[in-house]
């Protein structure tokens, strides 16, 4: 029995009480307008005393709070690295596109990645791909060549996106933590399903789709690619035979319901950590729950700002962890 996380788990249990549940989300949805939504969040303790009454400022503050809390609870943050891989690989993609286009923009990067966006940009400029982490070196060079010489932005994106999924899967396979293994497999499988649906809607071949998909334990990429070549209905029929049958039903309803199902499935994959007491799992689940909560609030605020109906916004609202 591992006792090193007992204090952290006890702290997390106390913090879980402050997470938004479905009832609180309903209260936020019931606010009359965008401004009242912001005021509701302030009253719930979101933001700091000097945070502007602006959505992105408040949401960014809450994300920063979350990771500050996690760092305070856990000495070894290496277990959380995989959660940041999507942002890290996004930054690599952005660096390649900036260098190939000659742009000097800096507002396209996610902050606080390891390696930093500045490091990635420097290495791409120098074409020093061997200085990048092993999981990024070869894909970065291939994507760079595809964009610089082939002018193929789609291939550049595909190479980096697949490398990200492969890195997430490898991290899951190597992790001693069940929560990371479960999260990694679910994340890659769901990303593969999204890729297959996108390829089906744009008429891509089975070979193209197969090249874009990353292997995972709970889906056959061969079968998924073949289905995608025959359209979204064929994908739905294949998914009904897998652990992701819920995706088939969501695809029948609407794109927004499908996107919601994808995020809900990630939360479902870590939900068992609510009953774990002697591992880092509950802390990982808490971090994911907070990010899911912040994403849901962003969806509600964006919907309000753009004049969407409550029914339309509700269709997009994610499942809460608590």
């Amino acid at each position: 029995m591992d006792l090193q996380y007992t204090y952290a788990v006890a702290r997390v249990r106390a913090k879980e009480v402050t997470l938004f549940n479905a009832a609180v989300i309903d209260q936020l949805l019931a606010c009359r307008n965008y401004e009242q939504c912001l005021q509701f969040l302030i009253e719930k303790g979101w933001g700091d005393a000097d945070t502007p009454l602006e959505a992105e400022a408040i949401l960014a503050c809450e994300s920063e709070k979350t990771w500050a809390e996690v760092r305070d609870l856990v000495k070894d943050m290496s277990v959380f690295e995989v959660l940041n891989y999507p942002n890290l690989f996004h930054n690599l993609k952005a660096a390649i596109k900036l260098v190939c286009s000659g742009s000097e923009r800096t507002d396209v990067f996610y902050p606080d990645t390891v390696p930093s966006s500045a490091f990635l940009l420097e290495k791409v400029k120098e074409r020093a791909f061997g200085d990048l982490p092993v999981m990024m070196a070869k894909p970065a060079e291939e994507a760079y060549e595809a964009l610089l010489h082939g002018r193929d932005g789609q291939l550049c994106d595909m190479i980096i996106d697949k490398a990200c999924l492969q890195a997430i899967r490898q991290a899951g396979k190597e992790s001693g933590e069940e929560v990371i293994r479960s999260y990694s497999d679910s994340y890659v499988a769901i990303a593969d399903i999204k890729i297959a649906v996108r390829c089906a809607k744009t008429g891509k071949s089975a070979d193209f789709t197969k090249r874009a998909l990353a292997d995972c334990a709970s889906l056959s990429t061969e079968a998924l690619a073949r289905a995608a070549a025959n359209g979204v209905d064929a994908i739905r029929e294949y998914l009904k035979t897998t652990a992701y049958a819920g995706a088939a039903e969501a695809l029948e309803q609407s794109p927004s319901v499908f996107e919601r199902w994808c995020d809900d499935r990630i939360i479902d994959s870590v939900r068992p950590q609510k009953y774990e007491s002697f591992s880092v799992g509950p802390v990982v689940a808490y971090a994911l729950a907070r990010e899911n909560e912040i994403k849901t609030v962003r969806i509600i605020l964006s919907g309000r700002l753009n004049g969407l109906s409550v029914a339309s916004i509700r269709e997009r609202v994610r499942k809460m962890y608590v």
Side-chain angles (χ1 to χ4, degrees), residues 59-294:
L59 298 176
C61 179
E62 288 306 300
S63 186
E64 290 168 7
K65 281 184 189 178
T66 299
W67 290 104
E69 289 169 348
V70 170
R71 286 190 293 270
D72 185 51
L73 292 172
V74 179
K75 292 180 181 179
D76 181 10
M77 288 292 292
S78 62
V79 71
F80 293 90
E81 289 176 0
V82 66
L83 305 187
N84 207 29
Y85 280 0
N87 288 358
L88 177 60
F89 278 85
H90 164 87
N91 284 355
L92 175 61
K93 191 193 305 184
I96 291 170
K97 291 183 175 181
L98 289 179
V99 171
C100 289
S101 66
S103 173
E104 297 295 328
R105 290 181 62 184
T106 58
D107 60 344
V108 294
F109 295 112
Y110 286 110
D112 304 324
T113 59
V114 180
S116 68
S117 58
F119 175 87
L120 297 176
L121 186 59
E122 177 187 357
K123 295 307 175 184
V124 173
K125 283 180 178 178
E126 296 173 351
R127 299 190 63 181
F129 300 110
D131 293 343
L132 297 173
V134 173
M135 63 184 177
M136 305 180 86
K138 185 178 178 181
E141 185 171 9
E142 290 178 354
Y144 179 88
E145 293 297 329
L147 189 57
L148 184 67
H149 300 302
R151 298 297 176 185
D152 193 335
Q154 185 179 62
L155 180 57
C156 171
D157 287 350
M158 185 176 74
I159 291 169
I160 299 300
D161 291 344
K162 182 172 182 177
C164 178
L165 296 179
Q166 289 173 325
I168 290 172
R169 186 187 184 219
Q170 189 62 30
K173 290 168 67 176
E174 294 176 356
S175 177
E177 298 292 342
E178 173 59 31
V179 65
I180 296 299
R181 294 194 295 270
S182 177
Y183 164 81
S184 297
D185 187 63
S186 292
Y187 188 98
V188 175
I190 289 166
D192 278 345
I193 295 170
K194 288 181 177 180
I195 291 167
V197 169
R198 191 160 58 246
C199 287
K201 289 182 175 180
T202 53
K204 301 299 184 185
S205 68
D207 287 342
F208 180 95
T209 306
K210 180 65 170 66
R211 187 178 179 187
L213 299 176
D215 289 340
C216 69
S218 52
L219 282 176
S220 165
T221 52
E222 292 278 359
L224 188 57
R226 286 196 303 270
N230 292 305
V232 175
D233 286 345
I235 292 175
R236 286 177 37 237
E237 290 306 310
Y238 167 65
L239 291 175
K240 288 177 182 177
T241 70
T242 72
Y244 301 95
E249 182 179 343
L251 280 167
E252 285 188 74
Q253 297 183 52
S254 71
S256 58
V257 170
F258 172 63
E259 288 294 326
R260 183 186 70 198
W261 178 89
C262 291
D263 286 345
D264 287 350
R265 181 59 188 246
I266 296 295
I267 289 297
D268 286 341
S269 74
V270 299
R271 197 176 298 282
Q273 298 305 316
K274 289 199 292 185
Y275 311 105
E276 175 62 60
S277 298
F278 301 105
S279 77
V280 73
V283 187
V284 174
Y286 172 76
L288 288 170
R290 276 289 279 151
E291 291 297 335
N292 179 68
E293 179 183 71
I294 292 166

Side-chain angles (χ1 to χ4, degrees), residues 25-33 36-37 304 310 314:
I25 292 297
D26 282 342
Q27 291 173 20
L28 182 59
L29 283 166
C31 291
R32 290 192 301 274
N33 51 45
Q36 193 177 78
C37 286
R304 279 297 195 185
V310 172
R314 189 180 294 278

Side-chain angles (χ1 to χ4, degrees), residues 306-319:
N306 289 285
L308 298 183
S309 68
V310 172
S312 180
I313 298 171
R314 189 180 294 278
E315 185 178 70
R316 295 164 169 79
V317 166
R318 274 46 178 172
K319 184 186 296 183

